Amino acid sequence: MVAEHSFPQRRIVAPIVLVLFALGWYRFSDVYIRTDDASLIAHGNYAVYVPLQQVAAYMQAVTWVSYAAVFGGLIMLWSGLVAYVEYKERSSHE
Amino acid sequence: MAPPMILDPLFNDGLTFVYLVFALSGFILGWVAQRGNYCFVNAMTSIFTTKTYDRFGGLMLLFGLSALVPGLLVAFGMVPAVDQYYFNYFGGWYIVVGAFIFGFGAAIAGGCNLSMLYRAASGYVQNWLELAGMMVGTYFFATLVWPVQLSTMQVGLLSTKAGGYVEYLPYDLFHTVSAASVGATALILGVPFIIFGIYLQRRTYAKFKVMKSTDPVPAAGAGGIVVNRGHQSSKPRSLSVRAWRMLTLKEPLGTNLATVVLFLDLLLVFVMGAGYTFNYLVITSSDGGRFLEYILMPFGVNLALNTPWYNSSLPIVDTSVLMVIMLIVGAFSASYLSGDFKVRIPRDRRRLGIGFGGGILVGLGVRIALGCNVGLMWTNFAQLGYDGLLFLASMLAGVALAVKVQERLL
């Protein structure tokens, strides 16, 4: 049997990046968008200020979307890890 | 009497639901564009490089469908006319100038605003730099160009002084926004684009037939990135086999299938977002600007407080933010699951600098034009405006110049 190429590490790393991105986006939205929106109204800038009701709706949607992205990323990570174990098993048999 | 300019939600599902619809729509957009390798700039460069028109024909079909169906939905009373024209932008010199700069920049950088995002999510480093360049270009626009541009808009120098129904073709042509005028305009604008698109595609397929080959046409697309045309496999396959291979991500989506799904995606937000917000597809150019604003926030810099344009024209968050974020997630998921994801650094390292420089032009161009190829050109066909036509002609001219420059200098 012909030896395969080395296992592409991106199959493990990329889903982790996706999960971290989703978590980071949620955290960023929760901390900075709320805070900076509040500072806009404190400075009287109503042109780009977003009403609290809209920010709350955005945060609710971001929560659901982040759950979906994190679960999706974890499923991809799991499938990558399974592929990695299969690769290692094949390598050890050769 | 002037047409109304008051929005009223079509469905009472609430804002959270609307945000989620936009998120889903962004995911679909990213997924389908990635699987169909859907790039507005590549469709245009192929006209001048390989003299093939199938992808450009697909764009024409997209614009035609986007003008026809939303227009008919309004004409039949399913969606109020105000939801179609409320967000029409001002029109003026800046669309012609901006679209030209954008077309040139995007063609040398390696992607339009849509393909830049899905390719960046698929690991193309050149497009990461294009995105970074776009943020810088947006800042240049905000500080150097916007104050001057705004003053010309305020006095109406080669510019309209109002958007909304003033930019709505049914109103411009018939001085009314009645069902009959909207329906007639949708037919006048949409049908010729659909016929033209079909004609261009048939012409190209006839050319392939004469060449006795349906094999991929080797072509370097925008920014030297090779266009994936693998879907035109030389192996004849039944429709069901092809459908299965597309569903299992073994085969990319064909141009026309991607076109139809993208059009349906636009229709989804057009209907579900009606009365709530900008009910069209992403304003990726605004979000290019917003990303810089967001990156600087943790460092205590708030551009929205004192920087021109950021402090007057860019709400700190809206539905397009989630749409763009999910576009990236969708494109990443499609590329990862199909095995296409890979961090790709171009062999010719000059491409990295060209990607960044082109990105600056992209940022400048789209902001000067007040929108990109998606949020302005494509969207404006669905809005039954004329800004999309101006944008299309100027962008084509910019792309043509970029092809010439690339052939001679790069």
Side-chain angles (χ1 to χ4, degrees):
Chain A
M1 195 175 169
V2 181
E4 290 182 57
H5 295 293
S6 62
F7 185 80
Q9 291 176 350
R10 62 178 180 272
R11 288 200 64 180
I12 307 293
V13 176
I16 295 173
V17 172
L18 174 63
V19 170
L20 292 177
F21 175 74
L23 292 173
W25 187 259
Y26 173 78
R27 188 77 189 128
F28 170 83
S29 299
D30 194 29
V31 174
Y32 291 104
I33 288 183
R34 280 183 200 274
T35 312
D36 281 57
D37 199 41
S39 89
L40 283 175
I41 198 158
H43 286 82
N45 187 342
Y46 299 102
V48 289
Y49 162 75
V50 177
L52 286 178
Q53 184 200 2
Q54 279 190 38
V55 175
Y58 167 77
M59 279 310 303
Q60 235 177 336
V62 165
T63 307
W64 285 104
V65 162
S66 299
Y67 272 126
V70 167
F71 278 116
L74 289 177
I75 290 167
M76 287 182 207
L77 178 63
W78 172 75
S79 96
L81 287 172
V82 169
Y84 179 68
V85 170
E86 284 175 349
Y87 165 80
K88 289 302 267 183
E89 279 180 351
R90 273 200 307 273
S91 302
S92 63
H93 286 299
E94 283 166 11
Chain B
M1 199 175 88
M5 281 295 282
I6 298 168
L7 288 178
D8 192 24
L10 193 58
F11 299 104
N12 293 316
D13 296 313
L15 262 174
T16 304
F17 181 77
V18 172
Y19 270 107
L20 287 171
V21 167
F22 275 73
L24 173 68
S25 165
F27 187 88
I28 294 170
L29 186 63
W31 182 287
V32 172
Q34 201 281 339
R35 294 309 299 147
N37 197 8
Y38 213 85
C39 175
F40 287 50
V41 171
N42 273 349
M44 292 182 185
T45 52
S46 62
I47 296 173
F48 306 109
T49 53
T50 56
K51 314 279 184 213
T52 51
Y53 308 99
D54 53 332
R55 286 187 172 242
F56 188 70
L59 266 191
M60 297 297 100
L61 282 174
L62 182 68
F63 295 161
L65 285 170
S66 302
L68 183 66
V69 180
L72 291 180
L73 288 181
V74 172
F76 285 106
M78 292 170 189
V79 177
V82 66
D83 290 314
Q84 192 167 35
Y85 63 71
Y86 186 88
F87 290 99
N88 268 358
Y89 298 127
F90 295 12
W93 63 269
Y94 34 86
I95 293 176
V96 177
V97 173
F100 183 82
I101 297 171
F102 166 69
F104 181 83
I108 63 165
C112 63
N113 271 33
L114 176 61
S115 57
M116 170 181 68
L117 287 171
Y118 78 68
R119 285 197 188 120
S122 306
Y124 287 85
V125 175
Q126 189 173 331
N127 296 102
W128 296 359
L129 289 167
E130 186 187 356
L131 186 55
M134 186 178 158
M135 292 180 206
V136 174
T138 305
Y139 185 78
F140 285 161
F141 159 80
T143 50
L144 302 174
V145 181
W146 177 240
V148 179
Q149 181 172 335
L150 185 61
S151 63
T152 69
M153 290 164 70
Q154 282 167 340
V155 296
L157 180 66
L158 291 176
S159 165
T160 57
K161 289 169 82 172
Y165 62 83
V166 177
E167 299 272 325
Y168 194 42
L169 277 174
Y171 185 78
D172 296 333
L173 294 175
F174 303 105
H175 306 293
T176 168
V177 295
S178 67
S181 70
V182 175
T185 310
L187 289 170
I188 291 168
L189 189 62
V191 172
F193 270 88
I194 292 171
I195 293 171
F196 186 50
I198 292 169
Y199 164 74
L200 288 177
Q201 291 195 330
R202 288 199 169 181
R203 189 176 152 169
T204 302
Y205 297 147
K207 190 173 162 184
F208 289 153
K209 213 172 178 182
V210 170
M211 291 160 64
K212 293 185 179 166
S213 167
T214 52
D215 282 341
V217 177
I225 294 173
V226 175
V227 183
N228 175 13
R229 303 184 62 124
H231 67 280
Q232 291 172 334
S233 170
S234 52
K235 289 180 190 169
R237 290 195 177 101
S238 71
L239 194 63
S240 58
V241 171
R242 280 199 68 194
W244 177 247
R245 286 178 62 81
M246 283 178 198
L247 281 173
T248 52
L249 305 178
K250 288 180 180 138
E251 193 166 321
L253 298 179
T255 302
N256 286 351
L257 181 58
T259 296
V260 169
V261 179
L262 291 179
F263 155 69
L264 291 174
D265 199 28
L266 176 129
L267 210 56
L268 173 72
V269 293
F270 177 70
V271 174
M272 299 307 296
Y276 281 101
T277 182
F278 182 85
N279 53 332
Y280 297 96
L281 286 180
V282 278
I283 324 166
T284 49
S285 50
S286 299
D287 289 291
R290 247 196 217 107
F291 287 155
L292 178 67
E293 191 180 2
Y294 288 169
I295 287 168
L296 293 176
M297 278 179 183
F299 301 101
V301 179
N302 192 345
L303 294 176
L305 285 181
N306 47 24
T307 310
W309 186 70
Y310 290 95
N311 67 359
S312 61
S313 306
L314 192 68
I316 198 159
V317 72
D318 63 23
T319 44
S320 78
V321 173
L322 261 187
M323 194 181 247
V324 170
I325 292 293
M326 288 308 284
L327 190 161
I328 294 168
V329 172
F332 167 78
S333 305
S335 71
Y336 180 83
L337 294 172
S338 64
D340 187 40
F341 180 83
K342 189 181 176 186
V343 176
R344 297 168 173 94
I345 302 170
R347 282 196 194 128
D348 180 359
R349 296 296 158 92
R350 284 184 315 159
R351 290 265 161 228
L352 296 175
I354 293 169
F356 184 75
I360 291 177
L361 291 177
V362 166
L364 260 177
V366 292
R367 285 323 330 147
I368 290 173
L370 304 183
C372 65
N373 55 308
V374 176
L376 202 162
M377 182 168 65
W378 175 15
T379 282
N380 198 248
F381 281 96
Q383 290 173 312
L384 295 184
Y386 54 83
D387 296 347
L389 293 164
L390 290 176
F391 196 107
L392 175 61
S394 288
M395 186 181 164
L396 264 173
V399 169
L401 180 66
V403 169
K404 288 286 173 203
V405 169
Q406 279 182 314
E407 280 171 358
R408 296 191 182 183
L409 300 178
L410 302 177

